[in-house]
């Protein structure tokens, strides 16, 4: 079986490649600017804004499974339109598709969100992700759209680096106490995505941890795990900042979790062991 990871040089993409290769799958991956470091993947440059290139990569790889872990931030052409082009190509070549979406598709107005909740984004990024979800399922109804939250690793995620730098005093900023999410460990997320890809699931699924924590609470957990002084982490309120976005968004992943062998651990669990 051949697995194609779109955005393979990113944080999640790197873990997807590792797990797919470990499972014995022939693995290919794409990159936007430079290939990743995984030597057990065949690398292909890909600009999701280029329909011809999307078609060419899909035709050349001949993947049975495609996992889209790419991120184009608020760039509409990349984040909204690109995944739809990919879904059209996946449907044409008969490939299973799992698209990684985000809790940014929600405003936080209702706080708790299960898979039946309709997107109501409040940022350009969230709007682009929501548009991609709709387009993908229109052109490839058998695809999986997997919404997730903050992705944490063993010291190498963006949030963990921020915590380390804030604790060391080498970076300005603050960790918000009113910005609440349901973090997930990158290894759990990658395993769950591949499990969904190898099954017959379709439609929207939620893949987030069961613990709802603020960014500051998460920072404390990371600092304690890494032996840092958590009291040095500055706090703030997102509501008082100029940063747009929802405050409290809690993905309810229980319906998806019931059908998975993979356990999505909460932040209190996956942050208890040293990196």
């Amino acid at each position: 079986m051949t697995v194609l990871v779109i955005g393979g040089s990113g944080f999640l993409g790197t873990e997807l490649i590792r797990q797919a290769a470990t499972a014995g799958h022939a693995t290919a991956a794409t990159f936007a600017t430079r290939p990743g470091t995984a030597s057990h993947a065949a690398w292909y440059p890909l600009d999701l804004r280029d329909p011809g290139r999307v078609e060419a990569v899909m035709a050349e790889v001949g993947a049975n499974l495609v996992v889209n872990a790419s991120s184009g931030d608020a760039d509409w052409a990349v984040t909204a339109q690109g995944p739809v082009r990919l879904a059209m190509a996946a449907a044409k070549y008969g490939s299973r598709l799992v698209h990684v979406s985000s809790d940014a598709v929600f405003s936080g107005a209702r706080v708790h969100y299960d898979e039946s909740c309709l997107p109501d984004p409040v940022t350009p990024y969230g709007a682009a992700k929501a548009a991609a979800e709709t387009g993908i399922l229109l052109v490839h109804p058998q695809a999986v759209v997997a919404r997730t939250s903050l992705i944490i690793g063993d010291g190498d995620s963006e949030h963990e680096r921020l915590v380390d730098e804030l604790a060391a005093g080498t970076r300005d900023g603050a960790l918000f106490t009113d910005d609440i999410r349901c973090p997930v460990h990158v290894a759990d997320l990658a395993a769950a995505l591949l499990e969904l890809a190898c099954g017959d699931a379709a439609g929207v699924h939620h893949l987030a941890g069961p613990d709802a924590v603020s960014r500051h609470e998460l920072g404390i957990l990371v600092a304690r795990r890494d032996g840092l002084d958590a009291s040095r982490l500055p706090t703030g309120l997102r509501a008082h900042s100029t940063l747009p976005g929802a405050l409290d968004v809690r993905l309810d992943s229980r319906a998806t979790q019931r059908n998975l062998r993979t356990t999505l651990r909460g932040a209190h669990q996956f942050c208890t062991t040293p990196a």
Side-chain angles (χ1 to χ4, degrees):
M1 184 177 292
T2 300
V3 177
L4 173 61
V5 179
I6 308 298
S9 56
F11 179 51
L12 174 58
T14 299
E15 180 63 17
L16 283 164
I17 292 169
R18 187 190 71 78
Q19 291 195 23
T22 298
H25 301 305
T27 307
T30 71
F31 63 93
T33 55
R34 60 181 181 276
T37 58
S39 59
H40 35 262
W43 289 95
Y44 296 84
L46 177 64
D47 185 340
L48 285 173
R49 297 170 296 184
D50 183 347
R53 183 59 186 161
V54 171
E55 177 84 13
V57 170
M58 289 294 296
E60 184 172 350
V61 175
N64 307 96
L65 309 176
V66 179
V67 183
N68 180 21
S70 64
S71 176
D73 297 320
D75 187 323
W76 189 266
V78 176
T79 302
Q81 297 173 326
V84 180
R85 294 190 187 97
L86 180 66
M88 293 172 67
K92 175 180 177 179
Y93 290 101
S95 302
R96 283 277 293 160
L97 173 65
V98 175
H99 170 76
V100 181
S101 191
S102 167
D103 56 12
V105 301
F106 297 122
S107 70
R110 60 179 295 162
V111 179
H112 299 277
Y113 294 88
D114 63 18
E115 288 88 345
S116 69
C117 295
L118 296 178
D120 61 339
V122 292
T123 63
Y125 172 69
K129 296 296 280 188
E133 291 185 2
T134 301
I136 287 167
L137 294 177
L138 280 173
V139 302
H140 195 340
Q142 290 75 42
V144 170
V145 168
R147 297 179 183 134
T148 192
S149 190
L150 294 178
I151 307 174
I152 306 300
D154 295 320
D156 44 1
S157 72
E158 180 180 344
H159 187 82
E160 290 164 291
R161 290 194 297 271
L162 172 61
V163 170
D164 289 349
E165 292 168 4
L166 288 174
T170 59
R171 181 168 174 175
D172 294 329
L175 296 176
F176 298 132
T177 58
D178 60 344
D179 187 332
I180 298 172
R181 299 293 186 271
C182 294
V184 65
H185 194 280
V186 66
D188 300 345
L189 177 57
L193 289 167
L194 290 171
E195 186 177 340
L196 287 173
C198 291
D200 57 3
V204 176
H205 295 265
H206 284 182
L207 297 177
D211 297 344
V213 296
S214 71
R215 290 181 185 263
H216 181 252
E217 289 173 307
L218 179 59
I220 290 174
L221 292 173
V222 168
R224 288 174 176 169
R225 182 200 66 188
D226 294 349
L228 305 173
D229 185 356
S231 68
R232 292 178 56 86
L233 298 175
T235 64
L237 292 173
R238 187 183 187 112
H240 292 169
S241 77
T242 58
L243 293 176
L247 293 180
D248 194 342
V249 176
R250 309 183 190 198
L251 290 187
D252 183 344
S253 304
R254 289 176 294 179
T256 297
Q257 178 67 90
R258 282 194 291 269
N259 296 313
L260 291 175
R261 296 185 306 274
T262 302
T263 298
L264 300 168
R265 294 169 294 165
H268 288 94
Q269 182 178 358
F270 63 68
C271 284
T272 55
T273 55

